[in-house]
Amino acid sequence: MSFYCAGRQRTAPSDSPPLFRYTSGTNRSAAQRKGGPVLLYHGSRHGIEGPIAPTSRDRCDFGRDFYLGTEPTQPLTLICDFPDARFYTVELDLDGLDVRELSADATWALVVAYHRGKMEQARDTDLYVATAAVLEGADVAVGPIANDRMFVVLDRFFNGEITDVALIKSLSALQLGNQVVALTQAACDAIRIVDKRGLSEDERTELIATSEANRAEGVALAERICRDCRREGRFFDEILEAGVPLG
């Protein structure tokens, strides 16, 4: 299988540092670095053009914002299918910004559901209003990333196949890193690009294999936890039908 477009192949520039420099185990919490800049990572399918702005594609976890990862492999496994992808190391200065941090719990899952358009049937409920207000007025959101290991588990929750208890236990077991999301232009203006590079063919091939393995791991984990927790907790439709904010 080829992951390149019509005979075009792009390799990393010769002066780019090796990929292992970026994947050697960085995990910094933005919430713990509010006194100054925090080092983060961003992946773009075709590169950033113009000023950084909160305008990602529709139906992302926290809305159409600018997404950053606390670990390099987070964005890398999301862009590795694209020959023109660019990987960025950035600094985000959190001074003066309103930072909201979400834990790996059902509230986080509902915030993701709200921004992905999964809560429309509960639009007139207190639950919907409370969920919509979680990030209201914030400049930056920090919370678990629904990466390639979590996509399948989260979709199973939204589709009514596993309960909230199974979802939370999956979040804990997978030990996901956080995503740091610039929600406002003020937050985007506080981002400084430190480094930019492309990905070589070998790097992209390795990352694609890693992404596929991670997704398979998520499927296997969801199957086991679903069996163990089949009678615990509530399903997504039950939470929406109740319409009551989570306490």
Side-chain angles (χ1 to χ4, degrees):
M1 179 182 295
S2 174
F3 297 98
Y4 287 84
C5 299
R8 295 173 59 196
Q9 296 191 359
R10 183 182 295 272
T11 58
S14 58
D15 59 347
S16 293
L19 189 62
F20 65 78
R21 167 183 165 181
Y22 296 106
T23 57
S24 58
T26 302
N27 187 7
R28 303 168 185 242
S29 169
Q32 296 173 353
R33 294 286 302 276
K34 290 182 180 177
V38 59
L39 193 68
L40 299 166
Y41 307 94
H42 175 77
S44 173
R45 295 177 180 182
H46 305 290
I48 297 172
E49 297 182 1
I52 295 174
T55 54
S56 66
R57 66 187 186 279
D58 290 335
R59 304 304 189 190
C60 292
D61 291 352
F62 298 150
R64 297 190 70 230
D65 310 302
F66 191 81
Y67 286 75
L68 301 160
T70 56
E71 297 179 4
T73 51
Q74 294 169 348
L76 282 168
T77 54
L78 295 176
I79 63 172
C80 57
D81 281 328
F82 301 91
D84 294 329
R86 292 293 180 267
F87 175 71
Y88 296 84
T89 303
V90 306
E91 286 185 342
L92 170 58
D93 189 344
L94 295 165
D95 286 349
L97 298 178
D98 183 341
V99 180
R100 308 276 175 87
E101 187 163 12
L102 300 178
S103 301
D105 57 20
T107 296
W108 167 81
L110 288 177
V111 170
V112 173
Y114 169 78
H115 288 290
R116 291 190 182 184
K118 303 285 189 179
M119 290 187 63
E120 292 307 301
Q121 70 186 74
R123 174 176 285 275
D124 296 325
T125 67
D126 291 341
L127 175 65
Y128 186 93
V129 173
T131 303
V134 169
L135 297 180
E136 186 174 352
D139 295 302
V140 176
V142 182
I145 183 171
N147 65 4
D148 41 17
R149 284 186 296 170
M150 197 62 205
F151 283 145
V152 175
V153 183
L154 196 57
D155 281 345
R156 293 194 68 177
F157 174 65
F158 292 151
N159 293 334
E161 298 175 32
I162 63 174
T163 65
D164 56 345
V165 170
L167 175 69
I168 294 167
K169 288 188 176 181
S170 297
L171 284 168
S172 176
L174 284 171
Q175 298 181 335
L176 303 175
N178 279 336
Q179 55 188 340
V180 179
V181 185
L183 306 174
T184 63
Q185 190 58 52
C188 289
D189 291 342
I191 297 171
R192 182 178 72 87
I193 295 175
V194 176
D195 187 57
K196 166 188 174 181
R197 58 158 294 174
L199 303 178
S200 70
E201 179 180 0
D202 289 343
E203 289 168 342
R204 293 199 310 109
T205 299
E206 181 178 352
L207 287 164
I208 288 168
T210 298
S211 179
E212 292 174 348
N214 287 343
R215 191 176 295 268
E217 178 187 356
V219 171
L221 180 68
E223 291 289 348
R224 177 177 59 79
I225 292 179
C226 182
R227 289 193 300 270
D228 294 343
C229 303
R230 69 182 67 183
R231 295 180 178 87
E232 297 181 54
R234 294 185 295 172
F235 291 98
F236 184 54
D237 62 333
E238 294 174 333
I239 295 173
L240 296 186
E241 288 171 6
V244 179
L246 302 177

